[in-house]
Amino acid sequence: MEDSKEKSIIQSHGNRNRILLLILQGVIIGIGGILPGISGGVLCVIFGLYQPVIEVLSNPFANLKRHWRIIIPAGIGVGLGFLGCAGLVSTFMEKNSQAAVCVFIGLIVGMLPDLWKDAGREGRKGASLPALVISFLVFLGLLLFLRTGISMEIMPSTGWYVFCGIAWGLSIVVPGLSSSSMLIFFGLYQPMLEGMARLDFSVLIPLGIGACLIVFTLSRAVNHFFAKHYALASHIILGIVVATTVMIVPTKFSGTSGLLICLACAAGGVLAAAGLNRLCSRIAEQRMAENQ
């Protein structure tokens, strides 16, 4: 009797720790959805959550029963990380947008070695490297055209917030894609964050619509494409990430002090990315140890 009670207590503690770990992983994924350079999809892969999430998104009625113990606590964590981080990043952008962008660039640079390594885990034969170069050149050319070839001023609106939701949804469905740098390029990133920090439903509802639209329509196709052509898809995404990063690099500074501040912020971003990578590796190792 004593042994069975002790086993029950140990199992209860194990379940509680598992739930707390899933919430923590969700928080990190939510933060990854906000910060440029950190892909929520990649974090899902690292934590072993990508497959359950994609299965539920592809066929929620059939798969939610199987994965609800994972999806619910991780989803709570994502919401906490996503909304909690939005206010901090919005304040940083408001105080010094150029320094904030440099931190983001540092985060992206710090993540690139891991993205490169992950993209090549199945080899780099055939069209992988040409796909990287072509996607980089095509996307860079498109962004340059939008910047110099079209005179446009984007005013945040319901339609554009739906676009932001679509972009954020893509960063979850497509491992390696961080859409935030694209939103910075279009001038939508800070208004989106400000609305989220205020819990403004005129921002949150269109964001949710856009995200749901993309994840429920593309999740199955993206999952199939990555399963069949992982190296090709990953290198295409890598080219897009590099192109969007190049386009947000500041070129004008307020003197030498402004340049030094931006360089320090970029270096801080690289260090933060390295620290996050280390934390993610530890959590992934702990998850693997628990499963053995």
Side-chain angles (χ1 to χ4, degrees):
M1 196 71 168
E2 290 283 334
D3 289 344
S4 63
K5 186 183 289 187
E6 187 176 340
K7 286 180 182 178
S8 176
I9 292 171
I10 292 172
Q11 187 176 8
S12 174
H13 280 296
N15 290 337
R16 192 180 305 157
N17 290 338
R18 177 63 174 160
I19 290 170
L20 290 174
L21 179 61
L22 284 167
I23 292 174
L24 175 60
Q25 291 172 343
V27 168
I28 296 172
I29 292 168
I31 292 172
I34 289 289
L35 296 177
I38 303 175
S39 164
V42 164
L43 293 174
C44 284
V45 172
I46 290 171
F47 296 144
L49 298 174
Y50 183 75
Q51 199 62 38
V53 168
I54 288 296
E55 286 179 5
V56 170
L57 293 176
S58 300
N59 195 340
F61 296 106
N63 294 314
L64 189 57
K65 288 182 180 179
R66 292 172 53 206
H67 299 304
W68 69 270
R69 289 183 179 84
I70 295 174
I71 297 298
I72 291 177
I76 291 171
V78 169
L80 291 173
F82 197 67
L83 295 176
C85 188
L88 294 174
V89 178
S90 175
T91 301
F92 188 19
M93 289 284 290
E94 188 176 345
K95 296 291 184 184
N96 191 331
S97 61
Q98 192 175 63
V101 169
C102 287
V103 171
F104 300 154
I105 291 170
L107 285 169
I108 297 169
V109 171
M111 285 297 220
L112 281 178
D114 283 298
L115 290 176
W116 172 257
K117 181 180 177 181
D118 186 69
R121 73 185 186 192
E122 295 183 4
R124 303 188 196 277
K125 299 177 182 178
S128 297
L129 293 178
L132 188 155
V133 174
I134 291 169
S135 67
F136 168 76
L137 292 175
V138 168
F139 214 76
L140 184 67
L142 174 63
L143 294 177
L144 283 170
F145 175 69
L146 290 173
R147 174 177 285 180
T148 60
I150 298 177
S151 177
M152 65 175 184
E153 184 177 349
I154 293 176
M155 297 298 293
S157 62
T158 299
W160 281 113
Y161 288 134
V162 171
F163 171 78
C164 291
I166 289 172
W168 185 74
L170 279 172
S171 71
I172 290 292
V173 173
V174 182
L177 179 62
S178 175
S179 304
S180 300
S181 50
M182 191 188 307
L183 299 182
I184 291 174
F185 173 79
F186 285 114
L188 294 167
Y189 186 68
Q190 190 170 353
M192 179 190 74
L193 290 182
E194 289 172 355
M196 291 170 58
R198 295 193 310 268
L199 295 179
D200 184 345
F201 286 99
S202 67
V203 176
L204 292 175
I205 290 174
L207 274 175
I209 291 171
C212 290
L213 183 68
I214 205 71
V215 297
F216 286 117
T217 56
L218 283 187
S219 55
R220 185 174 296 181
V222 169
N223 186 37
H224 179 75
F225 186 63
F226 267 83
K228 295 291 185 182
H229 310 285
Y230 184 84
L232 180 65
S234 297
H235 284 81
I236 290 172
I237 295 303
L238 196 54
I240 293 173
V241 169
V242 175
T244 53
T245 304
V246 168
M247 291 301 298
I248 65 172
V249 173
T251 55
K252 296 180 181 178
F253 305 94
S254 56
T256 305
S257 61
L259 174 61
L260 291 175
I261 289 171
C262 285
L263 288 174
C265 288
V270 172
L271 292 175
L276 181 60
N277 280 334
R278 199 172 295 115
L279 175 62
C280 290
S281 296
R282 287 179 182 174
I283 292 176
E285 288 170 5
Q286 181 179 348
R287 178 181 58 81
M288 289 176 65
E290 288 176 354
N291 290 337
Q292 288 177 352

